[in-house]
Amino acid sequence: MALNLNRLNPCQRDAVLHSLGPLLILAGAGSGKTSTMAYRIAHLISERHVPGNAILGLSFTNKAATELKQRVRKLVSQTSGRKASQGLTITTFHSLCARILRAHAERLGFQGNFTILDQNDQVGVLRQVLRNIRIDDRRFDPDVILFEIGQAKNRLMSVEEAETYFLESKKLAPDYGLAAASAFGKYQDQLRILNSMDFDDLIYYTVKLLENEADIREGYNFKFRHILVDEYQDTNATQFKILRFLTEKQQNLCVVGDDDQSIYAWRGADPTHILGFKNQYPEAKVVSLEQNYRSTSKILEAANCVIAKNKNRYPKKLWSDRGPGEPLVEVIVEEDRAEADFVAEEILRRSQAQGRGWGDFGLLYRSNAQSRVFEEALRRRQIPYKIVGGLSFLARKEVKDALAYWRLIVNPKDDASLRRILNWPARGIGKTSVDILSAYAFENTLPMFGAITAAVGSASRMQQKTAQALFGFRDLILDLRKRLEETDPTSVALAAWARESLERVQAKRALEEESDDPVQTAKKWENVEELVHSLGQTSFAEEPSEAQELSEPKNSRAAPFLLGEFLNRMILEAQESEKDQEEKDKDTQKNQVTLLTFHGAKGLEFRVVFMVGVEEGFLPHKRTLDEVTDLSEERRLCYVGMTRAQDHLFLIRAKNRIRYGKPQPRLPSRFLEEIPKDLLVRMDESGTPDPSSEEARQEHEVKVKNYLADIRSRLMKPS
C-alpha cells in the first residue's frame, strides 16, 4: 500500500519526494513542518526502503521528538507494517551525544556507565573544587561560574584557552574570572574522577570524539544514511560541527527551519547556519513552505510586512486560504491598569458572548515582569490562567527577597523574612553566625531581630566584623521603619518610600552579585521595580473598614499598616488563586488563559492573541535600543507573536506607564508603523475609530466600538 500524499500541498510533497543530497526546507510559521518531516521519513522507509536504523531525526526537545516519532510510526504502520520503522532514531542532540559517548567513552578516558550530572550535582562538585583550591565558595554564585564554564565548552576551548578567556572577560568581575580560571581544569578533572559529565560535556566530548577518531566518525557516516534536523535556525556552533562530521561521507542532510523565527541568540543559536546552508552545501535543494494553516490572511499580511523590513533573510511570504478574516485591532489605553482591565474584560466578554474556552486566549508580553498586573486583573474576575515559560510574579526569588525586607520592617518578629535577607546582599554574615543568633533567640524566647544586640554580646565565637554587620543590619531596618512611620499614607508616598528602601538595602547590588550576566540582572531588576509600581498603583480605602477599626483603631491609616495590608493582599491573592485551581477538575485546569513571553510562545497557537506593551522600550526592548543593532531579532520576536494568532489579534499599547505613582509617556512601537493601515483598526479607550480608517472597515469598527462601550460599562459598575 503506497503512502497517501494527497493531504500535502505541492511544496510539502516536493520536500517529501526529494531523493538524495542536501535539502533545506524553509518552513514558515504554521506551515505544517512536522507533518512534512513525518511524511518524508515515512516515505524514505515505505517507498525508498531505507531501513529505520539508517535514519536519524534530531530535535531540540523530547516533546517534539516524541511527537515526530509517533507520527512516523503511525504512517509507516499503515503502509508497511509496524516492524518497518524498527531501529528508527528520532531524538534530541543531547540524547544522541549521550548514546555515542556511552558506546565510545573509553576513547576519552571515561567508562561507559558514566553519570550525567544535573544542575544541583554540578554545583556540589564545583563548591568542593573551590574549597580544595582554597577559594571561599560562599563568596561566589556557582551558577555564574558554571554558566561561563559551559560557554567555554560550547566554544570548544582547551583548559589553557578557557583560563585566558575567563581572566580577560569583560563580562566577568575580576574575582569571578580568577575563580573560574582556577576552577575549570580542576572541575573537569574531578568529573573524570567521578566518571561523570555535565550537559555541556555531552556535546563537547562528542565533537572531540568525532574530530579525533576517524574510524568512529566514518562509522556513523555509514550508519546514518539520512539525517533530518528540526528547528535548524536554533543550532549553535558545536551542534553545527557535529552535523558537519556526521555528513562528511554522505550529504543526505535535510534541515527544517525558519530564519524569521530565530529568536534565541542569547542561548547561542546562530541564524547564519540556516542562512549559509547553500554555501556549506552548494548542491542543496531549497523548498519554501509558505502556505499557513493557522492564521487568517490579514494577520499574515501584517506579519509579512513587519518581517520584510529585516535585511538578512530568505524572501518568503506566508499566505492562507482561510479567508481574509477581521482586521487587526490596535487598542490604545491610558495606562497599565487600563491595559490589564481591557484584556481581562475582553476575554470575559468573548467567553460569554461567543462561548470561547479560556484556552482559546493567549496573552503575550516581552518581559516576565509585565505579567503581574494581568495576573491581578484575571484573578479579580476569577478567570483561570497559567504562566508559561516563567514563574508566577510572586514566586520569583528577587520579588520574594524585596517583599521579605518590607515584611520585616512591618513586622520585626518575622524570623522567616529575616533569615531570607539577613545576608542579601552579602554582608559577611555566615551560617555559623546565623546559627548563634537563632540559638540565642530560641533559648530566650525572642524573635531573632530582637535578639541581635544581646546575642552578639554573649557570643565569644562571633568575630567583630560579623558583629558590626549584624548591628548595621539592625540599624538599617530600624531606620527604614522610622522613615515608613513618617511617610504619608498614600500609594504615591509609599511607592517613593519603597524605592528608597530598595536603594538603602542595595537590592540592585545584590542582584548584580548573584549574576555577572547583565541581561539577567536587568530582567530581575525589572521585576523588583514592577513590585514598586504595584504598590504605587494600589488603591487604599479612604476610610478604614469596621474590621480595621476593631483591630487597629489608632493606626489603620498609618503607612506601616497600609504597607502591611498591601503585603497581605498580594500573598492571599496568590494563595487563594492556587487553592481555587486545585479545586477545579482536570478538564478545567487545562482550560486556562495562557500568559507567556514572546520567546515562550514559539510553536504555540491561540484563537485570540493579545500582544501587550507594543511600545518602544518593551518591543523593541529598551536594552536593544541601547545597543548598536539593527533590531532584527526584536522584529522576529514581533513576527513570532503575530503569527501565534489564528482568528483575532489585538495589539495593545499604553499612552503612559505609571512609575512610582507618576505617569510616564510612552511611544508606540516602531513595528506598528510597519503594518499597512488598511489591515489595522486603531481604537482608543473611548471606542473612537482612527479617522484614517478605510470605509471597508467601518462595519468592523462599529462592532469594536460597541464591545468597547460594553467593557467600559462593566468597568464602571461597582464591584
Side-chain angles (χ1 to χ4, degrees), residues 26-32 258 260-261 288-305 307 313 315-321 639 642-644:
L26 293 170
S31 62
D258 182 7
D260 289 335
Q261 297 187 75
S288 185
L289 306 183
E290 299 181 4
Q291 182 175 358
N292 176 285
Y293 293 93
R294 174 187 299 154
S295 308
T296 60
S297 294
K298 289 190 177 181
I299 292 173
L300 295 179
E301 286 180 51
N304 286 334
C305 289
I307 199 62
R313 60 183 293 268
K316 49 188 173 295
K317 192 174 183 179
L318 297 183
W319 63 275
S320 172
D321 61 5
Y639 173 80
M642 296 174 72
T643 54
R644 300 312 95 194

Side-chain angles (χ1 to χ4, degrees), residues 46-149:
S46 300
E47 308 300 328
R48 298 192 179 276
H49 308 294
V50 178
N53 60 10
I55 298 174
L56 170 64
L58 290 171
S59 184
F60 281 85
T61 66
N62 286 316
K63 180 181 177 182
T66 300
E67 180 185 356
L68 179 58
K69 186 182 295 185
Q70 290 174 344
R71 289 201 192 187
V72 170
R73 286 178 172 171
K74 183 178 180 179
L75 289 170
V76 172
S77 66
Q78 295 171 351
T79 58
S80 306
R82 294 183 178 179
K83 291 185 178 180
S85 61
Q86 284 183 346
L88 176 66
T89 301
I90 299 180
T91 186
T92 64
F93 273 96
H94 283 91
S95 294
L96 172 69
C97 292
R99 293 185 194 182
I100 292 175
L101 292 174
R102 290 205 186 281
H104 308 286
E106 71 284 350
R107 299 279 189 105
L108 297 163
F110 290 86
Q111 297 174 351
N113 63 343
F114 62 83
T115 299
I116 300 174
L117 303 183
D118 63 17
Q119 184 69 14
N120 289 334
D121 294 331
Q122 290 178 252
V123 169
V125 173
L126 178 62
R127 286 194 183 281
Q128 189 59 51
V129 167
L130 291 173
R131 295 187 196 113
N132 290 345
I133 59 179
R134 298 184 179 182
I135 293 179
D136 184 359
D137 63 294
R138 294 171 297 182
R139 290 182 51 217
F140 300 96
D141 181 350
D143 290 337
V144 172
I145 297 177
L146 286 171
F147 175 80
E148 294 301 331
I149 287 175

Side-chain angles (χ1 to χ4, degrees), residues 568-636:
N568 289 336
R569 186 185 303 175
M570 293 197 76
I571 300 302
L572 285 173
E573 282 186 358
Q575 290 178 342
E576 288 169 358
S577 177
E578 292 174 0
K579 290 179 182 178
D580 288 343
Q581 288 305 114
E582 291 173 358
E583 293 299 320
K584 297 181 185 294
D585 59 34
K586 292 182 180 179
D587 289 337
T588 304
Q589 283 200 5
K590 293 179 181 178
N591 191 16
Q592 299 167 309
V593 175
T594 303
L595 279 65
L596 70 173
T597 64
F598 292 109
H599 284 100
K602 187 169 175 291
L604 301 178
E605 59 186 35
F606 304 95
R607 289 290 181 184
V608 184
V609 166
F610 300 92
M611 288 174 55
V612 300
V614 188
E615 306 152 18
E616 294 289 295
F618 279 147
L619 186 69
H621 196 277
K622 60 185 178 183
R623 286 194 304 272
T624 62
L625 297 176
D626 295 334
E627 300 170 355
V628 180
T629 175
D630 61 359
L631 299 178
S632 58
E633 183 153 327
E634 291 294 302
R635 185 174 281 104
R636 290 195 290 266

Side-chain angles (χ1 to χ4, degrees), residues 211-234:
E211 185 175 41
N212 298 326
E213 307 293 339
D215 59 324
I216 295 176
R217 183 171 69 249
E218 291 175 2
Y220 283 106
N221 270 259
F222 178 78
K223 174 179 174 60
F224 295 124
R225 289 159 49 189
H226 288 270
I227 298 176
L228 298 92
V229 185
D230 191 15
E231 303 288 5
Y232 186 66
Q233 78 279 351
D234 293 338

Side-chain angles (χ1 to χ4, degrees), residues 3 5 8 12-25 33-48 50 55 68 72 75-76 225-229 251-256 285 287:
L3 189 66
L5 303 181
L8 304 179
Q12 290 173 326
R13 284 197 295 272
D14 193 18
V16 168
L17 297 175
H18 174 68
S19 179
L20 301 176
L23 170 66
L24 169 60
I25 302 176
K33 69 180 179 67
T34 304
S35 293
T36 305
M37 289 185 71
Y39 271 93
R40 176 162 176 77
I41 296 173
H43 177 77
L44 289 172
I45 295 173
S46 300
E47 308 300 328
R48 298 192 179 276
V50 178
I55 298 174
L68 179 58
V72 170
L75 289 170
V76 172
R225 289 159 49 189
H226 288 270
I227 298 176
L228 298 92
V229 185
Q251 295 193 346
N252 296 323
L253 175 64
C254 169
V255 300
V256 185
K285 178 175 182 176
V287 177

